[in-house]
Amino acid sequence: RLDERTREIVKATVPVLAEHGEAITTHFYKRMLTERPELKNYFNMTHQKDGKQPRALANAVYAAASHIDDLSAIAPAAETIAEKHVSLNIRPEHYPIIGEYLLKAIKEVLGDAVDEEVIDAWELAYGEIADLFISIEDGKYKASAWTGYRLFTIHKKVKESEEITSFYLKPEDGGPLPSYRPGQYIGIKADIPDYPHTQRRQYSLSDAPGKDYLRISVKREGGTDEIPAGLVSTWLHDQVQEGDVVPISAPAGDFFLDESTSRPVVLLSGGVGLTPLMSMYKKTRDERDVYFIHAARNGGVHGLKEEMDGEQTYVVYETPSEEDKTLAAYDKAGYVDLDWLRNVVPKEADFYFCGPEGFMRAMNGALHEWGIPDDQVNYEFFGPKGTL
Ligand code: FAD
C-alpha cells in the first residue's frame, strides 16, 4: 500500500493532470506508438485519429488516481475495462510499457510544473493501479472459456439489411462452444490485406446462447467523402467469405442480462446497437415479461427485423420510407421519447440500452427523468468507454 505522502501528492495533482489530460495522453500515444510500433497491433488505430482512445485512457487514469485511497470505488469501471482488456488479450507485460510512456508524457507536457517528487508519486500510483488491473484480469483469464484466440470458420454470412450482415461462426477445432451471458461480446483479430497492423474489434453476440454457432451482426461503416470507411467492418463485409477462418477471443463483457430476477425487462436499441439486446430478447422472451423497442433510420437499415416478432416489440423509424408507410412497418415515426415510452413499457423493470451516443444520451436522460433507479439502468458503449 502506498504511503500517505505519496497518496496526498497524487490526489493533489490529479486536477493539474486532468486539466492537461488529453494533451498528456495524446503525446503518450504518439511517442509510444512511434518508439514501440509493434503496439499498433493492439490499439484501435482509427481511435488514435479521432481522439477517443486518448480521452478514454486519460479519464480512466485520473478517475483511478483520485480514488487512490480506496481503489474499490472504481470497481464497476475497472470491471468494464478489464473485460475489454481480456477480449484484447492485454497481458501483465504490457502494463510497464504503458507506465513508462505515461510518466514520460507527464514530464514532457507539464515540464517544470511537476517536480521529481510528483513524478515518483505518480509512478508508484500507476504501479498500484496496474497491479489492480493485472489481478482482476488474471482471474478473468483463468475463468475464460479459452485464452487468447481460437480459430473460427465463417459458416454462414447472411445479409440482414442494407448495412448489417450476420456472420455465423463455428470453431475450426470442432470442439464445444462455451455458454455466455446474453449481452456479451467476442473479440476478433483482423489481419487485413494491405493494412500494416493487426486490428482488434469487439462484436456483441446477437443470438441466444446454446446454439452450435456464435453469431455476430456487423454494420458496414462505409465512411463518407470526408470520413474514411471503417477498417474491420468493411473488411468483414467486403472481403471475408463463407469458409474463411478468423481468430476470435472468448465471450466477455459486463453488460449482460441479470437472470437472478424475474422483474420485467425493457430493451431499448438504436441502429446496430440492437445486437446485444437481441441476444437478451431471444434468451428471455419466453421466461419473462420482455419489451423490445428498436429505433432505426428506416426499414431499409433495420436488421434482424423478422426476429423481433413478439407482441411487445415496437419499431420506431426516424424517417420512414414510402415502403415502410405502405407496409405499416413501424409503431412510431420520429424518436423514442419519454411521453411515448411511459405508455408502452412498465416503470418497474430492468432497463438495458445500446445504440449511437446521441440515442444513449436521450435514453439515459429519459429514464432518469422518469425516476428509474440507477441500479435498474444498464448500457453498453460500442466504442471506448465513455460517460453519459
Ligand atoms: P474503424 O476503422 O474503427 O472506424 C470507426 C469509425 O470512424 C467508422 O465509422 C469510420 O468511418 C470512422 N472514421 C475512420 N477514420 C476516421 C477519421 N480519421 N476521423 C473520424 N472518423 C473516422 N459493431 C457492430 O456492427 N455490431 C456489433 O454487434 C458491435 N458490438 C460491439 C460491442 C462492443 C462492446 C464494442 C466496444 C463495439 C461493438 N461494435 C459493434 C463496434 C465495433 O467494434 C467496431 O467499432 C465497428 O465495427 C467499427 O469498426 P471499423 O474497424 O469498421 O471502423
Side-chain angles (χ1 to χ4, degrees), residues 8 14 18-19 63 69 77 98 112 117 135 141 155 187-188 195 203 240 259 270 302 304 312 316 343:
E8 288 310 320
V14 164
E19 195 191 324
D69 282 331
I98 304 291
D112 291 342
E117 197 184 17
S135 83
Y141 279 117
H155 174 66
I188 186 162
Y195 189 74
Y203 292 99
V240 174
E259 295 183 81
H302 178 179
L304 306 172
Q312 297 180 143
V316 179
N343 283 320

Side-chain angles (χ1 to χ4, degrees), residues 44 46-47 49-50 52 84 185 199 201-206 216-224 226-234 272 275-276 380-384:
N44 178 321
T46 304
H47 288 158
K49 288 188 200 136
D50 64 18
K52 279 187 188 158
K84 218 46 116 22
Y185 52 79
Q199 288 289 281
R201 299 287 185 272
Q202 285 91 18
Y203 292 99
S204 304
L205 293 160
S206 64
I216 58 171
S217 305
V218 179
K219 178 185 172 198
R220 187 176 186 282
E221 300 287 351
T224 63
E226 290 84 40
I227 298 174
L231 286 169
V232 175
S233 64
T234 53
V272 76
T275 50
E380 177 84 299
F381 276 100
F382 273 8

Side-chain angles (χ1 to χ4, degrees), residues 68-93:
I68 198 73
D69 282 331
D70 177 16
L71 285 177
S72 67
I74 60 153
E79 183 69 18
T80 308
I81 295 169
E83 290 284 334
K84 218 46 116 22
H85 281 173
V86 168
S87 93
L88 292 166
N89 208 21
I90 302 295
R91 297 294 183 161
E93 60 268 25

Side-chain angles (χ1 to χ4, degrees), residues 337-367:
D337 56 49
L338 181 54
D339 281 345
W340 178 78
L341 199 57
R342 61 192 349 153
N343 283 320
V344 295
V345 304
K347 189 174 178 183
E348 294 305 319
D350 287 338
F351 291 80
Y352 296 84
F353 61 86
C354 182
E357 214 167 305
F359 171 85
M360 302 236 295
R361 239 172 253 296
M363 293 307 101
N364 198 45
L367 298 180

Side-chain angles (χ1 to χ4, degrees), residues 180-202:
Y180 55 89
R181 291 169 146 158
Q184 290 193 302
Y185 52 79
I186 51 88
I188 186 162
K189 187 151 81 96
D191 285 301
I192 304 171
D194 299 328
Y195 189 74
H197 320 292
T198 295
Q199 288 289 281
R200 298 159 207 256
R201 299 287 185 272
Q202 285 91 18

Side-chain angles (χ1 to χ4, degrees), residues 17 21 24-25 28-29 32 57-58 61-62 96-108 119 122 126:
L17 268 75
I24 294 170
T25 46
F28 151 82
Y29 276 115
M32 182 177 72
L57 177 78
V61 172
Y62 304 136
I97 309 175
I98 304 291
E100 177 192 334
Y101 284 96
L102 200 56
L103 286 166
K104 280 185 184 159
I106 292 174
K107 267 192 238 172
E108 283 160 19
I119 296 293
W122 274 86
Y126 176 82

